[in-house]
Amino acid sequence: MGTRSSEEHTPPKPKTPTFQLELPLAVEAGQATRVGAHLEVGRQFYNAVLSAGQQRLRRMRADPAWQAARAIPRTQPQERKAAFAALRERYGFSEYAFHELAKGLRVSWLAEHLDAVLAQTLASRAYRALNRVCLGKARRARFKSKSRGLDSIENKRNDTGMRFVLQPGTQGRPQGYLLWHDDHIPAIIDWDDPVVAHGLAHEVKYPRLVRRRASSPRARGADRQGERYVVQLVLKGLPHHKPKHAVGTDTIGLDLGPASIAIVPRQAEVRLEPLCAELAPNARAIRHLQRQMERQRRAANPEHYDEKGRPRKRAKGAPRWKQSRGYQASRRRKATKERRLAAHRKSLHGRMVHEIVRVGHTILTEKISYKGWQKRYGSSVGRCAPGMLIDHLRRTVASTGGTLHEVPTRSTKLSQFCHGCGTFVKKPLWQRWHRCPCGIGPVQRDLYSAFLAAFLDPIESIPSCARYVIPWEGAEARLLAAHERAIQRANEGQVMPRSMGISRAGARLPKSPSEATQELLFLSKRGKVEAWKHRPEPLGLRPGESSV
Ligand SMILES: [Zn+2]
């Protein structure tokens, strides 16, 4: 990510490809104290810029010209743009103006801790946060509290101020240091790791120092405050490609759900899989900790709740919230668990992406509204992060020279289409099967959508009957086989999201079209399994009935 300069003052530089490499730092106690002090000053500086910027934003929005600019219809984009630009200019609400503001705010004692360029990047950060508010993309910009602190700071370049250097070390292998003020903080470098070696062979654009909370002060690599430091190097070039990751040439249709994925290549094996099912137990542990923290917060702060246990409205001059030791410990535990979960999810995503890319490099899928999903299937989306999976896939496919086509859902409506008769029939969510009187199906609906996507024309992206007649003959059996395999794995005990239409015990073909909520079925919980077994008979279709 490069820093964007203000459009009206300097033309944007052409972007070069970048990638990142993260290296842990071996920080001594004295260094940790000094770095902590610098970051604390950085935090205060960021808050000062944010506060001054917020005032500018408020004044700008209070100006009658702001309402006038908003009233300009969107059909006149030039006028609208010019009106807003004039306002921004007048009130100094631009990245460039914030840099000027930062110059004024970076006074004597601050300057000792904060280099001019670091102050500039912090000002850019404050501007970006406020600009999101200005554009209506965020409700408000947050100040960094003392307890949470500023956890990262970055330079813009690698020749002055905070910078990363390689120096001759032992055994002919260079040693890397993060230089900041008078401190030389050694980075821990594993030269045998090809990813690290590849990264360090590239030019460093700029370094970013990141502080992370360890699970406890006794954790490995943590300082006395229980904090770890790492340096993220932003490098010029392309990331390392592991040679084991071969790239296939097939065309693949994907259907991504909040907790499942259907993969239908034109030739290779079809798959229907749950997404990140391994994460469910950890996600549950995090929820337990969340509830525990809520109890601890209540116990330590009874004055903040009324007699019915509802939180009181926050008044000016109200006593501060207290954090008990137990609460702080739970918070650290939760943060650690969340970090592990995120790392685990990332590795699962990486595996899935490479399994897909190994088969084919042309991928078609429907563009999905992740915001809408978040509202409907919050917990599944939070755990499986399908949006992140798509982003990961997009990056990987692009770096291997393939394409990921995301076709608009509104025009394609693959989940409603039947290629046998060319009709669009809306299926309710619980209906996991595509079965049409024209003779197509029954087939699991995610697999069917992915099949339609695989043979879609990305340019036209409107499904048509003629295109699918021939491929269907070859594909039908493969789709059914993939579904049978999923059923078999479910029978062997793998947890499947209910959205796949597979329940574990005795799962068979269209027997249970109504078991279709998006929550995972936790078979390990006794009570839940019992409840599941004794569920009321579904109102859905009986086998053999038609869906239209
Ligand atoms: Zn049909």
Side-chain angles (χ1 to χ4, degrees):
M1 188 189 73
T3 39
R4 282 171 301 157
S5 45
S6 169
E7 294 89 336
E8 55 276 21
H9 294 279
T10 42
K13 277 187 212 159
K15 275 185 187 160
T16 50
T18 52
F19 68 107
Q20 284 193 24
L21 176 67
E22 188 173 300
L23 299 170
L25 292 171
V27 181
E28 289 167 12
Q31 289 172 334
T33 311
R34 287 189 291 275
V35 168
H38 299 331
L39 284 175
E40 171 59 15
V41 169
R43 177 187 78 84
Q44 292 178 14
F45 182 78
Y46 175 82
N47 283 348
V49 177
L50 196 68
S51 163
Q54 211 166 39
Q55 268 179 23
R56 288 182 182 189
L57 178 61
R58 255 187 229 134
R59 270 191 231 123
M60 182 167 80
R61 281 176 149 179
D63 192 320
W66 178 263
Q67 290 306 330
R70 285 188 52 170
I72 300 173
R74 282 177 200 278
T75 45
Q76 293 158 270
Q78 297 289 332
E79 284 87 340
R80 225 180 127 88
K81 206 176 157 193
F84 280 118
L87 271 163
R88 279 169 179 261
E89 179 74 39
R90 193 186 320 152
Y91 287 93
F93 194 77
S94 68
E95 191 163 354
Y96 179 78
F98 271 50
H99 288 179
E100 289 297 310
L101 174 66
K103 257 187 216 165
L105 287 172
R106 191 175 148 265
V107 288
S108 59
W109 65 276
L110 277 166
E112 285 168 24
H113 285 278
L114 218 53
D115 315 298
V117 187
L118 294 191
Q120 234 180 48
T121 59
L122 283 175
S124 293
R125 202 158 141 188
Y127 169 73
R128 280 199 292 271
L130 285 170
N131 198 32
R132 279 173 59 79
V133 178
C134 180
L135 299 175
K137 286 182 186 162
R139 208 104 56 96
R140 63 198 187 93
R142 277 171 181 277
F143 288 89
K144 306 268 177 209
S145 74
K146 177 142 196 187
S147 59
R148 294 185 78 88
L150 184 75
D151 282 332
S152 76
I153 195 161
E154 65 185 41
N155 204 340
K156 258 180 167 176
R157 45 211 284 184
N158 199 38
D159 51 1
T160 61
M162 184 177 78
R163 60 196 184 275
F164 183 81
V165 294
L166 283 175
Q167 288 169 357
T170 50
Q171 296 163 359
R173 287 182 151 182
Q175 172 59 52
Y177 294 95
L178 183 73
L179 310 187
W180 197 13
H181 297 284
D182 298 329
D183 282 319
H184 285 46
I185 307 171
I188 300 164
I189 298 177
D190 176 10
W191 285 100
D192 296 325
D193 184 340
V195 175
V196 172
H198 171 86
L200 290 176
H202 287 72
E203 186 192 327
V204 179
K205 284 188 170 181
Y206 58 89
R208 181 184 302 129
L209 176 70
V210 179
R211 172 170 60 184
R212 299 222 173 93
R213 308 257 184 283
S215 54
S216 90
R218 289 183 302 277
R220 198 156 60 99
D223 68 8
R224 264 183 299 178
Q225 274 74 46
E227 280 157 351
R228 277 193 192 113
Y229 291 90
V230 299
V231 59
Q232 286 177 350
L233 302 177
V234 177
L235 302 150
K236 197 185 232 171
L238 294 171
H240 179 69
H241 259 289
K242 290 183 190 158
K244 68 173 178 183
H245 295 138
V247 180
T249 52
D250 209 341
T251 299
I252 304 174
L254 285 188
D255 184 89
L256 203 59
S260 64
I261 186 168
I263 306 169
V264 180
R266 287 193 182 175
Q267 267 115 40
E269 194 184 73
V270 176
R271 293 169 60 185
L272 177 64
E273 309 248 329
L275 269 182
C276 300
E278 291 99 316
L279 300 179
N282 293 327
R284 216 162 42 220
I286 288 172
R287 282 200 299 281
H288 285 169
L289 274 170
Q290 226 155 15
R291 286 200 292 276
Q292 184 183 12
M293 280 167 65
E294 168 66 20
R295 287 193 299 274
Q296 288 168 327
R297 197 162 43 226
R298 273 174 186 274
N301 300 280
E303 68 277 18
H304 283 286
Y305 296 88
D306 65 12
E307 61 283 352
K308 282 186 180 163
R310 294 169 300 199
R312 281 186 207 278
K313 271 241 161 68
R314 198 185 154 83
K316 264 232 149 89
R320 290 177 65 99
W321 285 79
K322 288 186 275 299
Q323 299 184 347
S324 66
R325 260 167 210 282
Y327 175 80
Q328 286 172 0
S330 313
R331 190 173 65 186
R332 268 202 302 273
R333 265 208 302 281
K334 176 165 157 276
T336 309
K337 276 207 183 347
E338 273 169 344
R339 218 165 27 238
R340 282 204 195 122
L341 184 85
H344 189 180
R345 174 168 51 220
K346 207 169 167 186
S347 85
L348 291 175
H349 279 175
R351 204 166 69 198
M352 180 61 82
V353 164
H354 283 295
E355 280 169 9
I356 294 170
V357 172
R358 199 169 54 208
V359 175
H361 62 359
T362 306
I363 295 163
L364 290 119
T365 185
E366 277 190 307
K367 193 166 182 59
I368 314 148
S369 148
Y370 297 106
K371 270 228 173 108
W373 274 17
Q374 206 128 44
K375 279 190 198 134
R376 288 176 81 165
Y377 321 113
S379 75
S380 303
V381 170
R383 190 187 60 242
C384 308
M388 271 169 70
L389 177 66
I390 282 287
D391 290 342
H392 195 154
L393 186 64
R394 192 183 300 117
R395 280 197 307 273
T396 311
V397 169
S399 75
T400 56
T403 351
L404 174 73
H405 298 282
E406 284 176 280
V407 294
T409 317
R410 200 160 292 180
S411 55
T412 51
K413 293 183 284 191
L414 294 183
S415 62
Q416 303 174 17
F417 186 65
C418 170
H419 79 269
C421 48
T423 50
F424 289 93
V425 178
K426 202 160 183 180
K427 298 186 190 80
L429 257 186
W430 52 260
Q431 195 179 309
R432 303 316 303 173
W433 295 87
H434 176 76
R435 189 183 332 164
C436 187
C438 73
I440 301 296
V443 53
Q444 207 272 352
R445 76 184 260 178
D446 300 340
L447 284 171
Y448 185 62
S449 294
F451 157 76
L452 292 176
F455 292 93
L456 197 67
D457 179 358
I459 314 293
E460 240 175 68
S461 78
I462 307 281
S464 75
C465 305
R467 189 176 301 135
Y468 293 110
V469 177
I470 297 160
W472 178 245
E473 288 179 1
E476 188 176 9
R478 291 194 297 136
L479 300 189
L480 288 178
H483 191 250
E484 281 294 338
R485 279 195 296 277
I487 290 170
Q488 188 159 11
R489 286 203 310 276
N491 282 335
E492 284 162 6
Q494 188 178 353
V495 182
M496 297 285 174
R498 286 185 213 166
S499 62
M500 280 166 52
I502 297 168
S503 66
R504 189 171 72 161
R508 290 254 297 293
L509 225 64
K511 210 166 189 180
S512 45
S514 69
E515 292 164 11
T517 50
Q518 301 285 343
E519 289 303 302
L520 262 187
L521 173 58
F522 294 122
L523 292 151
S524 55
K525 283 253 162 158
R526 235 223 147 102
K528 284 196 181 166
V529 180
E530 292 304 306
W532 181 244
K533 274 187 196 152
H534 300 128
R535 67 197 185 279
E537 273 304 297
L539 295 166
L541 295 164
R542 296 285 92 72
E545 272 180 280
S546 165
S547 65
V548 265

